Amino acid sequence: AGHSRTYTHMRALFAATTAGFAAALVLRSWLRRTILLRRIPQSVELEGCGVVAVSTQSCGSNTLVTLDWSKVFGTLPFKIPFCSAVLTEDGTIYVSGSIGLAPPSSGGPPSIVPGGPKPEMLRTMQIVEACLKACGADVQDITMAHCYLVDNTKERFGEMNAAYLEFFGTRPLPARITVGCSALALGSCVEV
């Protein structure tokens, strides 16, 4: 009888400990998510577009963060099939591919900033920076950049790279890969 009682107490203690541990994990996860979500602003500033609203949507343990696309590149006849960035439960941010979209003109279709790789890269990085700020982060938080360049010649790479370096200025540079490609959305020549 004594062993049975000890065994019952041990099972109850194990169950309580396990439940407490599970509750602590849930609380930790909830707390981390709450802190991350508090960093997300209601709007961000984007050069040429002014104040751009930020919206969020939960998807499992992730938060989808989206800039008001109509302020970034005008009105489209279809829904944009992606969000601006995803903020994961652990704070990692994945930014969607961005191109050098010109600030919207009155009622005109979306367009790319003119001038080739250099102005496109500068504008693209401004948009990436706005996406990061919408997630409560900044360009100093970038660890890796994937760049795509149409017709990746030495000259075009040099123009794109000069703009990239100009954008970062004295800030530390993240790891980067640049890949040549044959075409990008809306006829742009740079995507990050």
Side-chain angles (χ1 to χ4, degrees):
H3 290 310
S4 174
R5 183 179 300 156
T6 302
Y7 178 72
T8 303
H9 286 296
M10 287 177 62
R11 277 187 25 203
L13 180 61
F14 177 75
T17 302
T18 303
F21 182 70
L25 284 178
V26 169
L27 180 59
R28 180 176 160 214
S29 175
W30 175 84
L31 186 59
R32 181 184 297 140
R33 184 173 177 83
T34 301
I35 290 169
L36 289 173
L37 291 178
R38 284 190 180 153
R39 293 186 348 200
I40 297 174
Q42 293 182 346
S43 62
V44 293
E45 185 80 25
L46 178 58
E47 187 175 321
C49 299
V51 176
V52 178
V54 174
S55 62
T56 61
Q57 180 181 4
S58 291
C59 183
S61 62
N62 299 321
T63 300
L64 311 180
V65 180
T66 304
L67 300 176
D68 178 358
W69 290 123
S70 66
K71 291 279 287 197
V72 177
F73 53 79
T75 305
L76 293 175
F78 55 87
K79 181 182 182 332
I80 300 297
F82 53 87
C83 61
S84 304
V86 175
L87 179 59
T88 66
E89 182 179 32
D90 70 358
T92 302
I93 299 168
Y94 296 95
V95 177
S96 293
S98 298
I99 56 177
L101 293 162
S105 58
S106 56
S111 63
I112 302 300
V113 293
K118 186 172 183 178
E120 282 190 41
M121 176 55 96
L122 282 172
R123 181 62 180 169
T124 299
M125 292 307 296
Q126 290 170 352
I127 294 170
V128 167
E129 182 176 32
C131 292
L132 288 169
K133 286 183 177 181
C135 293
D138 208 336
V139 292
Q140 291 91 324
D141 299 310
I142 297 174
T143 56
M144 178 71 178
H146 295 254
C147 303
Y148 299 90
L149 177 63
V150 173
D151 299 328
N152 190 356
T153 64
K154 181 179 176 181
E155 295 75 24
R156 289 170 66 79
F157 178 84
E159 289 179 47
M160 181 205 73
N161 201 49
Y164 187 82
L165 292 171
E166 180 182 324
F167 176 80
F168 275 96
T170 59
R171 295 178 282 213
L173 295 170
R176 185 183 88 181
I177 183 172
T178 302
V179 177
C181 59
S182 60
L184 293 169
L186 298 177
S188 64
C189 62
V190 172
E191 180 172 346
V192 178

